[in-house]
Amino acid sequence: MTTESGIDRSRLRTLAERERATFAERNPGSRQAYARADNLFGRVPMTWMNKTAAGFPVYLRTARGNRITDVDGNEYIDFCLGDTGAMAGHSPAPVVAAVNRRLGELGGASTMMPTEDAAVAGAELARRFGLPAWSFALTATDANRWAIRLLRAVTGRSKILVNSYCYHGSVDESLIVVGPDGRGQSREGNVGAPVDVTMTSRVAEFNDLAGLERELAHGDVAAVLMEPALTNIGIVLPEDGYLKGVRELTRRYGTYLINDETHTFSAGPGGATAFWDLRPDVVTIGKAIGGGVPVGAYGLSEDLVGALSARNDLDLVDMGGVGGTLAGNPVSMAATRATLEEVLTEAAFGAMIETASTFADGISKIIEGYGLPWSVSRLGARVEYRFVSPAPRNGTESAANADAELEDFLHVYLANRGVLLTPFHNMALMCPETSAADVARHHEIFDKALSELV
């Protein structure tokens, strides 16, 4: 039977079984390492590492640029790049040098003292994103958590609004989706929620200004926390006028606007904020700005800084809920400065985006050649192919059109031939080292996979 994805399911299952068997044969070392990891919960350092299409994860040996070698000696072209964390490439030389200098020459990984690197990194983020005051965390999740606490404090409002199927890390307030009745409900699989998420949050579909206004009209939303384009449910791009409309509505209803640029940083040196000339009150970001070293950051508008500074009842120094002993540590700050100044530069983004455009054009031609009802979306240096056409316009549509069986087959097929995609979806990210030859190799394998499927 051929489904809406245009694929014969019985053929797909036969090929998927073959590819999983090949994966097991290619990766005995990884399989054995996984079997021995009895003292790790789920046998992995973090449970999301069990998101693998082949039954067990590949174990890392080396990583440089956009190349990974596993413990069995297999080499991969890496289009996953740490799900954006390694957008700068793995272990970029300037970052390695900066971290080695801090740890080996200057010393001090955890001192609770500021460094000049932090001020330089803050100034560069201010230049790129247009917000004057920056503070640092270790993850974008923490940056989001701290930003929404600040905005609750200055507004006196209790709720945060997010888009259905957004991704903001493990922020409790973000684990809400639009249910079948059009109302907010807890996202399926939400682990140990402290309270019913509808008590802390409101939700609207991406690209739905009427739905957003309906929720803001309650008058209890401190901030809209959003990605300028949805990313973790597959790329969902904003329609014409949508982002401008969001900014107009948030201002009309006295609500702050947070742009989470952790993934949309792929749009360019100043992320989607600069690319689409947005004017948020807060920008949060993480992963890529540290060149692989853990870091997160949030930038505040001048007006917001003034509102916070005028509040002598807020403990912003000690136990007020905004903290982290290792946040802003010397190693993270050295890595961030090096990444922004020397690796993810305007020139680097220009090349990465050109490569991504080539990737997207080539994938589109292959899909069209097989007459498949699929689509391709691109956000700067980030490309996603979807098993539906036209591309979904919101998160709920995107989730409804997921095809885990087909996605897993393609991921294993590519991995068996030396290409890695992000395990959570069909995302391919370009880094400064990604070449046209790397793109051509992906397309060659992708084309062969479809020729066997169709």
Side-chain angles (χ1 to χ4, degrees):
M1 182 183 73
T2 300
T3 65
E4 290 182 0
S5 297
I7 298 299
D8 184 309
R9 289 287 143 176
S10 61
R11 177 69 175 159
L12 172 60
R13 294 184 185 113
T14 298
L15 290 171
E17 184 177 347
R18 182 196 74 189
E19 292 301 316
R20 283 193 292 270
T22 299
F23 184 90
E25 292 171 4
R26 275 173 49 89
N27 297 285
S30 288
R31 186 174 69 250
Q32 291 163 13
Y34 187 64
R36 289 193 298 265
D38 295 330
N39 295 111
L40 296 177
F41 180 47
R43 298 188 177 277
V44 285
M46 282 293 293
T47 51
W48 48 254
M49 291 182 184
N50 275 319
K51 175 61 175 169
T52 172
F56 61 89
V58 168
Y59 273 63
L60 173 69
R61 175 169 289 164
T62 67
R64 291 288 185 277
N66 72 328
R67 290 297 194 275
I68 281 179
T69 303
D70 66 21
V71 295
D72 290 291
N74 301 311
E75 184 178 274
Y76 303 87
I77 301 169
D78 186 15
F79 287 102
C80 169
L81 295 172
D83 195 23
T84 303
M87 188 191 295
H90 297 291
S91 299
V95 175
V96 172
V99 170
N100 284 343
R101 180 171 183 267
R102 168 47 64 185
L103 283 173
E105 296 179 32
L106 301 176
S110 177
T111 59
M112 294 183 70
M113 298 172 69
T115 62
E116 292 176 304
D117 287 336
V120 174
E124 179 61 10
L125 289 169
R127 184 187 72 82
R128 293 189 184 207
F129 291 94
L131 295 170
W134 288 79
S135 191
F136 290 96
L138 283 178
T139 67
T141 294
D142 276 340
N144 282 321
R145 285 184 180 132
W146 299 346
I148 63 179
R149 288 181 74 103
L150 294 174
L151 300 182
R152 279 197 175 112
V154 297
T155 62
R157 297 178 177 183
S158 63
K159 293 192 174 181
I160 303 300
L161 187 145
V162 298
N163 293 128
S164 191
Y165 290 95
C166 61
Y167 185 70
H168 302 291
S170 56
V171 173
D172 290 322
E173 291 86 347
S174 70
L175 297 173
I176 184 172
V177 296
V178 175
D181 62 356
R183 298 187 178 188
Q185 66 179 40
S186 182
R187 187 164 176 173
E188 185 178 357
N190 189 358
V191 178
V195 296
D196 182 343
V197 72
T198 60
M199 294 179 63
T200 63
S201 307
R202 293 191 177 278
V203 63
E205 293 287 6
F206 195 80
N207 281 322
D208 181 3
L209 291 174
L212 173 62
E213 182 166 20
R214 184 171 59 247
E215 296 300 318
L216 292 180
H218 290 278
D220 57 1
V221 176
V224 171
L225 170 61
M226 67 178 294
E227 298 177 283
L230 295 184
T231 59
N232 215 55
I233 196 69
I235 295 172
V236 179
L237 296 171
E239 296 174 348
D240 289 347
Y242 171 66
L243 296 177
K244 181 180 179 182
V246 170
R247 180 69 280 194
E248 290 175 350
L249 286 172
T250 52
R251 285 176 174 148
R252 184 185 309 168
Y253 287 95
T255 300
Y256 285 104
L257 175 61
I258 309 170
N259 279 1
D260 184 343
E261 289 271 20
T262 302
H263 289 268
T264 57
F265 186 34
S266 64
T273 298
F275 184 69
W276 284 316
D277 192 25
L278 308 179
R279 294 289 185 270
D281 302 293
V282 180
V283 164
T284 57
I285 194 167
K287 293 189 181 182
I289 63 170
V293 175
V295 68
Y298 58 95
L300 309 176
S301 69
E302 186 175 353
D303 288 346
L304 186 51
V305 170
L308 287 165
S309 299
R311 293 283 298 274
N312 57 18
D313 60 318
L314 301 179
D315 184 354
L316 298 177
V317 175
D318 191 11
M319 297 299 292
V322 179
T325 305
L326 297 179
N329 70 77
V331 174
S332 292
M333 295 298 91
T336 301
R337 177 179 181 175
T339 301
L340 295 175
E341 286 190 332
E342 302 180 63
V343 186
L344 290 179
T345 61
E346 293 188 20
F349 268 104
M352 291 156 59
I353 290 169
E354 183 178 351
T355 304
S357 180
T358 299
F359 190 105
D361 290 345
I363 284 290
S364 295
K365 289 178 182 177
I366 293 170
I367 290 169
E368 290 167 7
Y370 288 97
L372 291 169
W374 299 1
S375 57
V376 178
S377 299
R378 181 176 67 83
L379 181 64
R382 181 185 182 105
V383 182
E384 189 105 20
Y385 43 87
R386 318 297 297 281
F387 306 128
V388 63
S389 182
R393 65 182 298 270
N394 61 49
T396 300
E397 285 183 15
S398 192
N401 284 286
D403 189 331
E405 188 178 32
L406 177 54
E407 182 176 293
D408 283 354
F409 164 72
L410 289 170
H411 284 211
V412 180
Y413 195 100
L414 286 160
N416 284 340
R417 291 153 184 83
V419 172
L420 296 179
L421 294 183
T422 302
F424 308 107
H425 39 97
N426 296 319
M427 191 272 284
L429 181 65
M430 313 300 135
C431 75
E433 284 79 18
T434 308
S435 69
D438 297 331
V439 170
R441 177 59 180 155
H442 170 275
H443 290 5
E444 177 187 354
I445 299 168
F446 184 77
D447 192 359
K448 190 169 189 307
L450 297 193
S451 73
E452 293 201 63
L453 272 177
V454 178

